[in-house]
Amino acid sequence: MLVDGGGCLKRTVTDGDLRRLLLAGAALDDPLSRLPACEPKTIGPDAGAEQALALMDRHRVDHIPQVDDAGCPIGLLLRRNLCSPILLSTPHLGQGERGFVDDAFRTNWIAPLGPNVDAFEAELAEHVGVGHAAALSSGTAAIHLALDLLGVGPGDEVFCSSLTFVATANPVLYLGARPIFIDSEPDTWNMSVNALERAFEDALRRGRMPKAVVVVNLYGQSADMEPILALCNRHDVPVVEDAAESLGATYRGRASGTLGRIGIYSFNGNKIITTSGGGMLVSDDGELVARARFLSTQGREPAPWYLHRHMAYNYRMSNILAGVGRGQLQVLEERVTARRRIFERYRTLLSDIPGLGWMPEANFGRSTRWLSVCVLEPGVSPVRPTGFIAALARQNIEARHVWNPMHRQPLFEGCQYFPYEEGRSFSDEALENGVCLPSGSNLEEAQIERVCAVIRDALSHR
Ligand SMILES: Cc1ncc(COP(=O)(O)O)c(C=O)c1O
């Protein structure tokens, strides 16, 4: 790109332009002013990939300079990049899924029960080292059932991590209860023991204990479960571990999701392994899990006719999807290794960029790095998350803000919130500075390098 003294784009110069110039008799050290004037085809700062591709088609070119409002170049959009988006976290199939799904078709087990469902439950329970598991239609359904099983009902209070996806807290509302949100801590980005302690003190003062505590394991990392469980046990309040994002992670040698009274996993399409949509409820308490199965299949009593005593749900996983899950479970360890490797590639390739930090990995276990999360240090990094995400989007790379904490959501307006320290809310800081980068286990090295090149560019401007 040829710019004038003010940095404004004058024109682009391609290898074809140089070849034509040389054929017309120019020497290699001749100035580029010998090129015929040519109004550059450019695109504005807010244009998306589709617009850029349409412009390239119209002008029969494979690249378009992107300029700011003053006409100064801010990037070069290439057709080959725009035609191959890099997404945040996409499904990654293995070799085994098809066989299990074919079996389901061959044997006509395509209902929300069958051999794949039973086997998926047994195999997952064995993999994570828990007594029992119930395969369900989603992680949200599993949280809903978990809270129902613990007796949460209208007017009850439930302590819940604030830094999470809304699916963690919605089931509290389904049951007519009220969430009280607990902040995260900087070392783990998960539930702060400090904040939880203050919430319990407040509950004692008010003479109203929560019915349950929902602890989230964020972005593939376990919360610091020992002190959290000690506190909850002291107050005799059961813990539901929302391990939707942390299947495959460990905490002091145990599998994330197996430490609370009940744990839940999600197999949504963006998770480390997927059934396209699905979830699992796990517990060492066999009676609770049997009850979860009962409630997930309309609460049908064992009788020769249709007999119902309890309101229940239609939350069971289908035998087809359980087949996908069985195949996915076979490659879970590979997927963890791949996601951790992607995180390390980002960290290594971008280690020299000032003001660029990373979500920490706590020393008590293994994070899966389900998502690679970077942190743009305020005052050092030249862009904030919104501008950074937009810069990546211009190159057809999907990045996302960190979860917008629940205590900030209009849906939960008026709900109590206990920050990490009086006057310091860590989850607000995580939102203000954090960005989730493409993290799918099927990302190729060239794609990681492409993301890094765009990040480097975005963080070196201005
Ligand atoms: C922390 C957390 N909890 C719960 C869920 C809900 O899982 P599902 O989408 O399977 O309902 C998700 C993901 O979607 C999640 O990220």
Side-chain angles (χ1 to χ4, degrees), residues 41 62 84 86 96 109 139 148 150 178 197 200 230 257 279 285 317 339 358 374 380 408 424 426 433 438:
K41 316 285 181 298
D62 290 324
S84 56
I86 299 180
W109 276 110
D148 195 340
L150 296 176
R178 194 173 169 78
E197 196 153 22
F200 270 123
D285 184 334
M317 180 181 279
R339 294 216 182 221
W358 301 95
C374 69
V380 182
R408 298 169 63 110
R424 181 180 175 198
F426 175 75
N433 305 319

Side-chain angles (χ1 to χ4, degrees), residues 112-113 117 121 134-136 145 289-301 306-308 310-317:
L113 78 167
V117 175
E121 290 177 345
L136 303 169
L145 286 187
V289 176
R291 183 90 186 145
R293 290 200 194 98
F294 168 78
L295 289 177
S296 69
T297 47
Q298 306 285 17
R300 192 170 156 192
E301 300 287 344
Y306 290 100
L307 181 66
H308 301 274
H310 299 274
M311 185 192 79
Y313 313 95
N314 183 7
Y315 276 172
R316 203 75 166 116
M317 180 181 279

Side-chain angles (χ1 to χ4, degrees), residues 138-140 143 164-165 167-168 216 242 244-245 264 266-268 271 278 403:
S138 71
T140 312
I143 298 171
T164 184
F165 181 50
T168 307
V216 170
D242 179 351
E245 302 178 1
I264 75 93
S266 164
F267 308 113
N268 190 8
K271 295 298 184 291
W403 298 127

Side-chain angles (χ1 to χ4, degrees), residues 283-352:
S283 177
D284 280 325
D285 184 334
E287 270 178 41
L288 271 184
V289 176
R291 183 90 186 145
R293 290 200 194 98
F294 168 78
L295 289 177
S296 69
T297 47
Q298 306 285 17
R300 192 170 156 192
E301 300 287 344
W305 49 83
Y306 290 100
L307 181 66
H308 301 274
R309 288 199 175 86
H310 299 274
M311 185 192 79
Y313 313 95
N314 183 7
Y315 276 172
R316 203 75 166 116
M317 180 181 279
S318 106
N319 195 58
I320 299 174
L321 300 188
V324 179
R326 292 182 72 189
Q328 286 272 277
L329 193 58
Q330 293 176 337
V331 291
L332 174 60
E333 284 305 310
E334 284 169 43
R335 301 298 182 253
V336 173
T337 306
R339 294 216 182 221
R340 287 182 60 83
R341 197 189 68 81
I342 288 162
F343 175 81
E344 285 309 330
R345 288 303 288 150
Y346 282 135
R347 191 153 67 174
T348 307
L349 291 172
L350 301 168
S351 60
D352 58 321

